[in-house]
């Protein structure tokens, strides 16, 4: 999991999307060579979307499930084809189930105590969520002591602040609503979406 995060740096997050919109957007991700993404399982159709995206794009993209809160959701996500799990919290039961399944698990943590606990549960990458309220300086302060953990910044990452998070020491970022405009998806404006994705990628390469 860490090698994938190190390679692509950016994990797009799909939340509450209809399947056809998701298919179009993921095809844009593939064209832009962003080949790792998360489908958040917080809507009634999320498993259906995840399963269909895995069937269509799973051969050349790594598609994970987000908002995996319980072992039951973990089982459903695995059955839908998820390659990895993410959650907004640290869950021992999800960590145990993921280990049993042989699927990477990226738990969400906020405080140094939670981050260290997630590390002790075996997390190779830990999602710091939400980072909007604390900013990059918080990441830098945490890593001054917990310098052996690998962090993913999620929840408020945008072009205006992304470089600062990498400068602070994160290995990658998860980006949701700020990644592309909904209007571009509705109008199938591939050119604008690819241009935005390239903007994000260029910000990564500047670090």
């Amino acid at each position: 999991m860490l090698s994938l995060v190190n390679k692509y740096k950016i994990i797009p997050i799909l939340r509450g999307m209809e399947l056809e919109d998701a298919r179009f957007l993921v095809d844009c991700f593939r064209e832009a060579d962003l080949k790792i993404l998360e489908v958040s399982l917080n809507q009634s159709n999320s498993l259906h979307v995840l399963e269909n995206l895995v069937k269509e794009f799973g051969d050349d993209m790594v598609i994970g499930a987000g908002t995996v809160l319980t072992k039951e959701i973990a089982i459903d996500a695995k059955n839908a084809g998820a390659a990895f799990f993410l959650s907004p919290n640290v869950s021992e039961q999800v960590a145990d189930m993921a280990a049993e399944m042989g699927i990477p698990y990226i738990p969400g943590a906020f405080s140094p105590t939670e981050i260290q606990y997630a590390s002790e549960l075996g997390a190779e990458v830990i999602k710091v969520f939400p980072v909007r309220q604390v900013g990059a300086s918080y990441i830098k302060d945490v890593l001054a002591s917990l310098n052996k953990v690998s962090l993913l910044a999620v929840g408020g990452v945008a072009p205006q602040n992304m470089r600062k998070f990498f400068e602070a020491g994160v290995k990658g970022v998860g980006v949701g609503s700020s990644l592309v405009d909904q209007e571009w998806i509705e109008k199938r404006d591939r050119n604008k979406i690819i241009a935005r994705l390239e903007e994000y990628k260029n910000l990564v390469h500047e670090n």
Side-chain angles (χ1 to χ4, degrees), residues 56-129:
E56 182 167 353
F57 300 98
D59 286 344
D60 60 351
M61 300 189 72
V62 182
I63 304 175
T67 323
V68 179
L69 304 176
T70 66
K71 62 182 181 181
E72 290 79 15
I73 297 175
I75 292 169
D76 288 341
K78 178 181 183 296
N79 290 338
F84 61 96
F85 302 151
L86 302 98
S87 65
N89 63 310
V90 184
S91 169
E92 185 175 352
Q93 67 168 274
V94 174
D96 289 345
M97 181 60 66
E100 183 179 322
M101 294 173 171
I103 293 179
Y105 171 48
I106 302 177
F110 193 72
S111 70
T113 299
E114 293 170 344
I115 292 169
Q116 178 60 22
Y117 177 53
S119 179
E120 291 171 2
L121 288 177
E124 192 178 26
V125 182
I126 300 161
K127 179 173 80 171
V128 181
F129 173 83

Side-chain angles (χ1 to χ4, degrees), residues 25 177-186 192-193 196:
L25 189 54
S177 59
S178 69
L179 192 61
V180 298
D181 290 357
Q182 181 63 32
E183 181 182 358
W184 300 347
I185 300 172
E186 293 171 355
K192 286 185 178 178
I193 291 173
R196 172 65 65 82

Side-chain angles (χ1 to χ4, degrees), residues 164-175:
K164 292 181 178 179
F165 283 112
F166 280 101
E167 290 172 349
V170 301
K171 301 298 184 182
V173 295
V175 188

